[in-house]
Structures are given as structure tokens and as C-alpha cells.
Amino acid sequence: MDIDLLTPEVFAGNRHPDQLAAVRDRPGLTWHPEPDGPGFWVAARYDDVLAVLGDPGTFSSRAGIRIGGSDEAARLVADRMMVVSDPPRHGRIRRVVGAPFTPAALRRWHDRIVDGVTDLVDEAAGARTAGAAGGPPGTAAGPLVLDAVGDLAQRLPNQVICAMMDLPRADWPLIGRLTTEGLDSPDPIDRLDANAEIFGYFAELLDRRRARPGDDLISELLAAGGDLTDEELILNCSGVLTGASETVRYAAAGALLVFGERPALWTALRAAPELLPSTVEEILRWTSPGLHALRTVTRPVTVAGTRLAPGERVTAWICSANRDPAVFADPDVFLPDRAPNRHLAFGWGPHVCVGARVARLELTALLTALIRRVRVIAPAGPPVWSGGNFIHGLTSLPVLLSPA
């Protein structure tokens, strides 16, 4: 076996793109054994990933959506949590959970999100600090070294979603920590404990919002509750929190890595901000924080010439599809003006991310604020990658920001 998509060191060393490129070159799907499991098929080409994610009748999400996930946890939330459900139940949950994320609904949140992101950049980049020699407020004291992940990217989505949910500001660090542990911790017990604590938090919050509804995402979910029980609302609040936080965090950190390593790209974007929309799409393709989605076969099917039997598991590697040279010219080159850019960073089919519009808005607001405040982004230390094979990205990135 010359590929390994289970060992954390492969992902911490950022070696999985090369392994998946080799898989793309092989005919059919590739079989991947598991030391403590039944093994799974690997779909790495763009068209094969579309075939898996676009057919929920054949490829089910009910038995779990990630390698290494708990089978028991999946059984407990199947058809109750949006990401671990199939049609028709999935559609009924999605109508409720997606209600606050429609274009009309997001117009209400737009200014709040943009202002929050701008304030965060001001704080992180020191843009509202008085000058070094008693200069006027609003001027930067000089170049600033910070951790692009801990000081900026990690706080960005957590701050936005917590504000949308109108959570007490004092709770934001706790929610951010639990969200990361519940998804990224290498210890499954720690993941379960963190998620249990999040569930308990939202159970209390739901009671408070039902008694005193407000202008917030939780109150909107309650109003659109349909036939969802309180427990299902709690599960899906946690799902929204996780999806909103981790994907944007890693995409934002990856963007700062690209612009730090290739300063000409940052200079060009500052000179031509009309490239922002296409740049955001290329960031999403390039970083692809959601690496894979697991599905379980429900009926005999053939994908790419490989015959699959009911009960077998298939992993659709979104990150690999987004580097497929059959679809993307020069896939290993970051092209801010790439068009078309049919990336799958938000998934495909019925399970495409409900928060995609919010994620795009956050990344656009982040880059807009940085364009105004930062002239140069430069590396200030080596990047550190996570070892996760489900959600993946930078856990640390020292950068030097020179003020505009």
C-alpha cells in the first residue's frame, strides 16, 4: 500500500496532496485498508467525487460522514442531525437550519458581519493603536508580528457565528475552544466530551431564547422549527457552529500563507480589488479545508469501473477533486483570476454547505479590511499543519504585517 490517509503525520507534513495525485492517476477507485476497521474506497477524481456526493440514494450519510468517526455517535444522531441524514428527512431539517442563511435573511446580517470582521482586523493588526511617537489614533505603530491563526483566522469565524447567535462575549473563547476540540482533537473521548459540553450549552440557550426571543440566529431557528424537536435543534445548532468555524478558519489562514509566500499576489490584489470575488473562490479551492466526506453504499453500483456492494464505504476526497487537472488548468498554481472555478470546497449535491454565503462574506470582509490596513504580508516563521484527515489546515502561521 503506497498511500496512507489515516496517519496524522501524513497530514501534519502536508504530504496527502501528492498521495492523492497518485490515486487520481490510477484507473477506477482505490481500496484503502484500515488497521482497526473494514477499509474503504477512495474516490479522488472530480467526476467520481461528483458521482458519490450527488447521489444520496446510493451513497448514504446516515452511518457517518468521516473516517475514524464513532459508529455509535452516528447512530445516535442519524436522521436527526442534518449532516448525518438522507432524503427525505435531510430536506426537512435543511429547510429549518438553512432559513437564516438565505440571501434575504443574510441581508439583515451583512453589516453586522462586515463590521465585526473589520473590528477584528483593526485589533489584530494594531490599526487603532496610537502611533509609536504619540501619533494620532488610528495609525499603526509599525510592522507587527502575529500568529495568523491564533490572532486572526481562528477568531474570525468564531466571532461572526457567536455574534449571529448573540452569545455573551465572555463565552466566545469557550465556544471556540470546544468547537475545535469537538472536531479536531485526536482523542475520540475528548471529541465526545467537547461536543457534549456544547450540547449542554445550547440546551440552556434554547430555553432562554424560547422565553425571550430576539434578533439572532437561534431565535430564527426556533421560529422556523417545523417538526424538529429541541434535541434536534440543539444538534443542528452545534453542526452550524462547527461548519461555520472550522472551514473559514483554515481558508483564511491558507490565504495569508499564500500572500505571505507570494507577495506579488498581495500587491496585485491591493491594486485591483475588483479581483476579490475570484480570489475568494480560488482561496476556497486552494485550501479545501474539508478534505473528505464518507458515504456508505446502499445498493449495487459501479463508479469509474469499480463495482461497489451495499455496506461498503466510499470516501470522496474533495481536496483532490479541487486539484484535478482534468477540470482545473494548472491546478497546483494559485490563480486569483481563475475562471471558471467550479470548486467543491462547500461540497456538492444535497449536502452542499448551508453557510457557504456567510463563509464567502467573511473571507471577502477579511481581505477588504486587510487591503486597507496592510501593505505587506511576510512569513515570520514556519507554518504548522494539523494532523486531521477530515478538516485540515494551518494551526500556526507567524506572519509580519507592514501597515499601509
Side-chain angles (χ1 to χ4, degrees), residues 243-244 247-248 280 284 346 353 355-365:
T247 300
V248 173
V280 166
L284 291 164
F346 293 118
C353 178
R357 294 185 185 91
V358 175
R360 287 184 168 102
L361 176 57
E362 289 180 60
L363 292 171
T364 301

Side-chain angles (χ1 to χ4, degrees), residues 36 41 45 91 95 122 141 178 184 228 241 251 268 310 315 374 390 398:
D36 301 313
W41 293 100
R45 287 180 292 273
R95 280 192 290 275
D122 284 347
L178 291 175
D184 285 350
L228 267 62
L241 183 71
T315 51
V374 176
F390 182 55

Side-chain angles (χ1 to χ4, degrees), residues 190-211:
D190 288 345
R191 290 202 302 265
L192 288 172
D193 288 346
N195 283 312
E197 193 168 345
I198 290 175
F199 295 159
Y201 182 95
F202 278 113
E204 295 180 7
L205 184 64
L206 217 60
D207 288 339
R208 294 201 301 270
R209 294 296 160 76
R210 181 174 281 113

Side-chain angles (χ1 to χ4, degrees), residues 66-77:
R66 62 180 291 178
I67 304 168
S70 165
D71 292 343
E72 178 62 23
R75 282 192 292 271
L76 288 172
V77 300

Side-chain angles (χ1 to χ4, degrees), residues 150-161:
D151 294 326
L152 192 58
Q154 188 168 2
R155 295 174 59 196
L156 168 67
N158 182 63
Q159 178 166 310
V160 168
I161 197 65

